[in-house]
Amino acid sequence: MNSPSPDLAQVAAALRQISHGLAALADALSGVSERSEEDRYLAVMTEWGHRGLTRHEASQLFRKHGFSPQATGGWVRGDWLEVRDDGKRYLTSRSLRWLSEQEAQS
């Protein structure tokens, strides 16, 4: 008897829901959710600085500050990050300017 094959789109959607729930739980346990989103942006950019990060390093940094690793793609599309020829991710001049403005305000 053949069992029906799973609908991969539904499986992927379910995995995303599980992942989102686990991320929320981790945030609650680590206290990340107590910081504002802007404070977390500032923390990511401050720690990142001018150095280039591999995909894995960038994902770890985003997770550390309560963001999904997939946020990297949105930051690239929004001109906050760029992927250079060496394959590493760097803050753009837009990001560095914003970071400088935030540091000047504090």
Side-chain angles (χ1 to χ4, degrees), residues 33-87:
S33 61
E34 295 172 8
R35 298 183 328 196
S36 73
E37 194 170 58
E38 187 168 302
D39 286 343
R40 293 185 295 132
Y41 291 146
L42 183 59
V44 167
M45 291 183 187
T46 299
E47 191 170 336
W48 199 309
H50 291 274
R51 64 194 170 111
L53 300 179
T54 65
R55 179 185 300 227
H56 179 71
E57 291 167 333
S59 293
Q60 286 181 318
L61 184 59
F62 273 89
R63 276 193 197 103
K64 176 180 178 181
H65 294 287
F67 293 104
S68 163
Q70 292 79 12
T72 307
W75 283 41
V76 169
R77 287 187 296 280
D79 192 37
W80 295 99
L81 289 178
E82 62 183 349
V83 180
R84 295 190 186 160
D85 290 338
D86 63 3

